[in-house]
Amino acid sequence: MSNDAAGRPTRFVILLAALVALGPLSIDGYLPGLPDLARDLRASAAATQLTITACLAGLAIGQLIAGPLSDTYGRRRPLLAGLALYTIASALCAAAPDVRTFVGLRLVQGIGGAFAIVIANAMVRDRSCGTRTSRLFSALTLITGLAPVFAPVLGGQLLRVTAWPGIFVALALIGALILAASAAALPETRSSASRRPLPAVVGQLLSDRVFTGYILANGLVFAAMFAYISGSPFVLQEIHGLSPQQYSAVFAVNAAGLIAAAQISGRLVARAGARVLLLAGLLGATAGGTTVLAAVLTRAPLPALLTGLFVLVSSVGLVMPNAAAQALADHGEHAGSAAALLGFTQFIFGGALAPLAGAGGATDALPMGIAVAVLPALALLTLGVLTGRCPLSARTSRLSTDPPGTGHRAGTKIAAEPASTEPGCPLPTKWNGLPAKLDRSGSHPER
């Protein structure tokens, strides 16, 4: 294989990583400049916080728009349109004259960023199946874990040489760079033969108990992580007296745990199966959340609380990639819409439930403890109720040992399909216009 051919899969994954990083960069990159922004735009603290909420809302709503569009018109055209929208909105944010205009532009910026996230996830399903899908989602989870850690750092460094509008100029330049790279190097991953008229598939997807179980479990665990993110600064700094630097160190250690768990998942999924790793993550998150709640109720020393938070956050690294792979496994024909519902559920649950962690004010840790204990336990219960009729080996085998084009649902055999059709393992015959080669066994190598 030539170096160019060998580099195409790597370039593809790098571009997908850049796409999923846009969301965290947009949410967290300007946080160090919030006080200056509020002063310059003469905005109240509540209005300033609304600029974060508007971006989260855009990231949620935009996915519901982008997913069905990408199923109908292919991945590239909606993706490029979304990136152009993101770039323009980011540039206009830098010139916003007042906070109302800024909030509206943040909503549009979030919608544009949502196109990047949902289409990147759909492209993973288009180009892979089985353990390969879980590995790719594990790689993207690495970016999801790193970006929130480094985005505020990058924003803080930019503030050394520019004011807060400079951060949005930088985001616009990043958007333009990703747009140019995607236009030049990102292939269309959805064949014209598999496209459908704009489908009303949300009801069809949500009527699938197994799919619904996976996205709800994923969303509830994601909400638990958001509760940690929103509640821990007050709990650790106001109640336990950590300095901002110490809190940043704790946040970084927990993020490192999430990243490590995601990478371990990618290495173990072929051996253990995605569902087993998902269940391990849910059990770990429940154990970590319960430890946090127990530490709060008993006023245990700080190390007990930190241990529970570390286990909780690290377990998310097992949950997110495997829940995504399981949810999309049987919906390759509507991967964009399925990925949209997956992402929409994450942001809606996170935005709606995370504020509960601050219900008691800055000096009460109990609401956060309850939230991080109850939400993972509810996720585990939801998964068991909605997917309980599906034997463990059935969905696991679909993602580990079944040959391409076969699968099981609740013990029912699905007939083998040609390698070029959906649903089943997508095995495209070309990569960037070049014929895919078969290995000696006659199967397609992983790309």
Side-chain angles (χ1 to χ4, degrees):
M1 180 181 292
S2 69
N3 290 335
D4 182 60
R8 287 191 185 92
T10 301
R11 183 170 60 192
F12 180 68
V13 174
I14 290 174
L15 280 172
L16 295 187
L19 292 172
V20 299
L22 278 182
L25 285 175
S26 303
I27 296 170
D28 301 324
Y30 82 121
L31 294 181
L34 275 182
D36 291 341
L37 183 151
R39 183 173 56 253
D40 291 349
L41 298 183
R42 299 179 181 178
S44 65
T48 305
Q49 291 294 325
L50 190 59
T51 67
I52 301 175
T53 303
C55 187
L56 285 170
L59 287 168
I61 296 168
Q63 295 195 51
L64 290 183
I65 300 171
L69 285 177
S70 72
D71 281 341
T72 301
Y73 300 108
R75 310 301 185 206
R76 273 178 58 87
R77 285 189 290 171
L79 173 63
L80 298 180
L83 288 172
L85 182 66
Y86 175 89
T87 301
I88 294 170
S90 297
L92 291 176
C93 280
D98 54 64
V99 71
R100 289 185 179 180
T101 304
F102 186 77
V103 168
L105 289 170
R106 286 282 287 168
L107 177 67
V108 176
Q109 184 192 38
I111 291 173
F115 273 64
I117 295 171
V118 71
I119 293 176
N121 287 332
M123 283 181 162
V124 169
R125 179 60 182 86
D126 290 339
R127 282 297 190 188
S128 65
C129 70
T131 57
R132 174 69 170 165
T133 302
S134 290
R135 290 194 200 104
L136 284 174
F137 276 125
S138 295
L140 297 186
T141 300
L142 168 64
I143 303 301
T144 304
L146 282 174
V149 176
F150 287 105
V153 176
L154 294 175
Q157 293 303 311
L158 282 172
L159 289 177
R160 291 177 177 269
V161 297
T162 184
W164 66 265
I167 296 175
F168 288 93
V169 172
L171 289 175
L173 292 174
I174 291 171
L177 181 62
I178 297 175
L179 172 60
S182 299
L186 200 61
E188 175 59 69
T189 60
R190 187 166 177 80
S191 66
S192 57
S194 62
R195 299 175 198 174
R196 303 286 186 271
L198 192 61
V201 298
V202 172
Q204 175 187 340
L205 289 168
L206 294 181
S207 66
D208 181 347
R209 286 165 52 95
V210 176
F211 172 79
T212 304
Y214 286 125
I215 67 168
L216 289 179
N218 183 67
L220 288 166
V221 170
F222 198 78
M225 188 174 73
F226 261 62
Y228 150 75
I229 291 172
S230 63
S232 61
F234 300 101
V235 171
L236 296 180
Q237 294 183 71
E238 298 296 329
I239 298 177
H240 290 278
L242 296 188
S243 68
Q245 292 74 28
Q246 290 172 325
Y247 172 76
S248 297
V250 170
F251 193 90
V253 168
N254 290 340
L258 184 152
I259 293 164
Q263 299 314 295
I264 291 170
S265 172
R267 293 180 179 274
L268 292 182
V269 66
R271 189 182 314 167
R275 183 175 168 91
V276 170
L277 292 174
L278 171 59
L279 291 172
L282 290 173
L283 289 170
T286 302
T290 302
T291 301
V292 170
L293 179 58
V296 170
L297 291 173
T298 61
R299 301 183 183 274
L302 180 60
L305 177 64
L306 295 180
T307 299
L309 290 174
F310 178 80
V311 173
L312 167 71
V313 177
S314 298
S315 298
V316 177
L318 292 177
V319 172
M320 289 179 62
N322 294 298
Q326 292 282 77
L328 271 61
D330 287 330
H331 296 286
E333 71 276 18
H334 296 307
S337 300
L341 285 171
L342 180 74
F344 176 80
T345 305
Q346 283 184 342
F347 285 106
I348 286 297
F349 278 28
L353 299 178
L356 296 177
T363 58
D364 188 357
L366 184 59
M368 186 194 77
I370 294 173
V372 299
V374 171
L375 290 172
L378 188 58
L380 188 61
L381 177 64
T382 299
L383 186 72
V385 170
L386 293 181
T387 71
R389 293 183 179 180
C390 178
L392 180 63
S393 60
R395 296 289 285 194
T396 302
S397 64
R398 172 65 185 271
L399 291 176
S400 57
T401 59
D402 280 356
T406 64
H408 298 80
R409 172 62 65 87
T412 302
K413 294 183 178 180
I414 299 176
E417 300 161 350
S420 60
T421 62
E422 296 179 8
C425 290
L427 294 171
T429 57
K430 294 185 178 181
W431 180 273
N432 273 12
L434 296 178
K437 296 181 179 180
L438 299 177
D439 62 19
R440 291 183 180 179
S441 65
S443 62
H444 289 261
E446 284 188 348
R447 286 179 286 278

